[in-house]
Each structure stands twice: as structure tokens, then as C-alpha cells.
Amino acid sequence: MANTILVGAQWGDEGKGKIIDVLTEQADIVVRYAGGNNAGHTVYIGPKKYVLHLIPSGILRKNKLCVIGNGVVVDPIGLVGEIKGLRKIGVKVNGNLIVSETAHVVFPYHRELDAQREVLKGKNKIGTTKRGIGPAYGDKAARVGLRMNDLIDPVRLEEKLSLRIKENNAVLTTLGARPLSFKKVFAEYLAAGKFLKPFVANTVVLLHTAMRNQADILFEGAQGTFLDIDHGTYPFVTSSNTTAGGACTGSGVAPNKMDRVVGVMKAYTTRVGEGPLPTENQEISDLLHGMGREFGATTGRARRCGWFDSVATRHATMVNGIDDLAITNLDGLDTVETIKVCVAYRHGKKQYDFVPNDAQVLAECEPVYVEFEGWRTPTDKARKFADLPPKARAYLKAIAELSNAKLFIASIGPAREQTIFV
Ligand code: GDP
Ligand code: IMO
Ligand code: MG
């Protein structure tokens, strides 16, 4: 399979977890390179549902190595909980999980600041997952963050944490929030550090050693292109580089060692949290929610839904260098009579065929649609491309072409076997 980067081509929750699980079969190592436990990647194995937040989805396959790279922000309490949760249901998590010693650590003051900043923003809030992601990456950029190798060293942890708690308590109390107890946070993090110490290593050297031994690596993107801190709908974004370039900086594997980029996208569009979503549509939201679908895997919030936006996915192909597309949730459109696809945006007299950088302008854009006749037949039992109704095949080909990349996988249900290689 060589080295493959898998990214979300929309606003997150494209079905990356499911596609990663399928592609892991061909890989030796799966690496998470960005984000934190704001991610929620759902994988079904038979009737069993797993939701991964920090641990790569590859953990569910035997004999695969999973790496949490330097670009990830790790909430150690969350990670310990996730490891224990997986072990409880019979998933092995031991030598098959390695965490970068330079990944930054999320502390309770990050979560508290995340929540307080949202309150301050009022109606302009981002709608974050409140996992402390923004403040943790903020500390990383400000060079005041603690990394995993600080967490697992009790002396350094005590020294650095006491200073950080002092500063953050001054800010929190000014904002009207309660100060944190150093003693309590230190005790919790000391215990988590002790638990996690055997998992922590130099993942850059490890990945390069593995590559010299011909290992194939799958880079598991979190969030989506339009949540990227640079290329997304700023400020309604997350705080990391979720796009393909983030796989290099977030793992220490150079661009010329990457062989392929796979973009995952739904056959329609969803977004959770605030910010512009040009093709948002009540009818399709009601339809999908009525089927019990499109509720967030991390926060349980109802996702906003809309028609497929090819202006956005074409832009995603451009900034990520997407070669191949995995189109998921085709079955969500099985009952729709007329399916719309956005092919341009109109803003006053101007027409856009790319995503404008100004979130305000994007929010004011009117989608220009083309229409497709729905196939109105269940697709979930299809196992080959030829099994799909002709109108569904035409729709898939059309949205792949509009997205400027090759159709590689069509997914017609959450299960492994509901995956069609085209
Ligand atoms: P991720 O964050 O990109 O991994 O996506 P999530 O797991 O947050 O959300 C995707 C949801 O769609 C999950 O509930 C998946 O089980 C589900 N899913 C993925 N592919 C398909 C599909 O082709 N059809 C259906 N019905 N569900 C799918
Ligand atoms: P996966 O990996 C969908 C959204 C939040 C919010 C914004 C900022 O499952 O696709 P943050 O907590 O990161 O500061 O929130 O980003 N968001 C996601 N939306 N899927 C995700 O991850 C997301 N991670 C963050 O809802 O709008
Ligand atoms: Mg998700």
C-alpha cells in the first residue's frame, strides 16, 4: 500500500474511522498526526460499535502498530480511559500503541479556558467540543506547553505544572471561573503519567526505522479540510493542520516519503458546531436525523446537514493533493427523489468556483445547484460497483469528477463488508 495519508475532505465526520479500519488491513502502522480527543471515529465490527478519540482506529486490527504522533495533543486522562475501555471489551492495547514523547499534553485549565472563551464569545461562539484543544495548541505555539516527556517525569511535571497552574488560575479567576487545585491536578496527572510511561517513545525514529524495513504506513487524519487552522473557515475551525501537510509535520515523515492521499467525503455534507455551511438544508437534515443518523460521535450533538458541495471538495482536492476518493454514506440518499449538488457559489454579482477565505463572505454565498434524479432503491446490500443502481453509479462518478479526483471506494453502510472498491 506504501505510505498513504487519509484526510477528511469536508467538515469532519466523513467516515474516516470506517475507511481507516478497512485500509488498515493493508498497512503495518497507523499514525494519528493531528487533533486530540475532539475527534470521534466510529468503527463497526459485526454488531459491535467502537468510537475512537485519540487512539488510531487501526488498533482494532491484530498485529498492527498504532502511533500517536508529535502533532497530536494528548489528554492523558482521556487516553488512559480509552486504553482501559478498549481492554475491557477485549481489544489488546500494549506494545501495539506508542505515543510520541513530544506530543503536547492537555490539562484541565485548557478545557476550562476553552469553555470560558466560548461563553465570552456569546453568539459568535465556535461551538467547540470543549476538550481544551484550542488552548493546548495555543500553549504549544506560545512555547509554554508540557509534552509527554514532561508528563512522565514526576520532578519536571511538578515544577512546570505548578507554574502553569499559577498563571492559568490568574486568568480563570479574572474570567469568573473557579481556580484549579494544583495538588489535585498534579496527583491525577502523576498517576496518568505513570500509567502511560511504557507507551511513550521517540516516534520519529521509530517510524523511520520501520520505513527502512519496508513498513507501509497509513496516516489517519482527524477532523476535516474546512476545520484546518490555515485552510478552514477561520475562526470556525479547530486548532491544528488537519490537511495532508499536517501528516508530515505531525509525524516527522517527510513529504517525499508520502505516496498517496486518500480523501474521505460523504455523499452529502455535514458539520457540527458553528460556522458557514453553504449547502445546509433543513429537508435533508430532517431526513437523516429521522433515520437516527448524523449525531456527533464525541459530543452527541445533532450534525447540521446539507447537499453535496463540490466547490468545497474540489478545494479539498487542491490543498490536500487528493488522489483517490472514498465516498461514504451513499445509502443516506437512497430515498431522495431529487438530489442537489452545489457546483459554484454566488455572492452578489460574483461567482466563486473555489471556497472564499472570508467566513463572512462564505456565509453569505448562495449555492448554485445542479440536480440528479434519485435512484430510490436501497443500496446497502450492494457488494460490487455493478450492483448499485445506474443512477447511483452516475451520481458517484459525477461527484468524484466534480471533486477532481478518482473514485476509489464507495461505502454503503457502516460495516466492513459494506465497502465497494471501484
Ligand atoms: P469520522 O470522524 O470521519 O471517523 O466519522 P464519524 O465516525 O464521526 O461519523 C461517521 C458515521 O457514519 C459513523 O457513525 C459511521 O459508522 C457511519 N458511516 C460511515 N460510512 C458509512 C456508510 O457508508 N453508510 C452509513 N449508513 N454509515 C456510515
Ligand atoms: P472527527 O475526527 C467534526 C469541530 C467542533 C467545532 C470546531 C472546533 O471526528 O472528524 P475544537 O473542539 O476542535 O476546538 O472545535 O471543530 N470539530 C469537529 N467536527 N468532527 C471532528 O472530528 C471534529 N473535531 C472538532 O465541532 O465546530
Ligand atoms: Mg467523527
Side-chain angles (χ1 to χ4, degrees), residues 12-17 38-42 51-52 223 272 296-298 303:
D13 302 328
E14 295 90 347
K16 299 177 294 294
N38 49 348
H41 297 176
T42 315
V51 182
L52 285 316
Q223 289 80 48
V272 58
T298 297
R303 294 176 184 146

Side-chain angles (χ1 to χ4, degrees), residues 213-254:
N213 293 320
Q214 316 304 322
D216 288 334
I217 307 177
L218 183 55
F219 293 84
E220 175 170 348
Q223 289 80 48
T225 299
F226 297 98
L227 293 173
D228 183 283
I229 183 83
D230 286 284
H231 302 288
T233 51
Y234 192 90
F236 303 100
V237 293
T238 189
S239 299
S240 62
N241 282 117
T242 60
T243 45
C248 296
T249 51
S251 69
V253 176

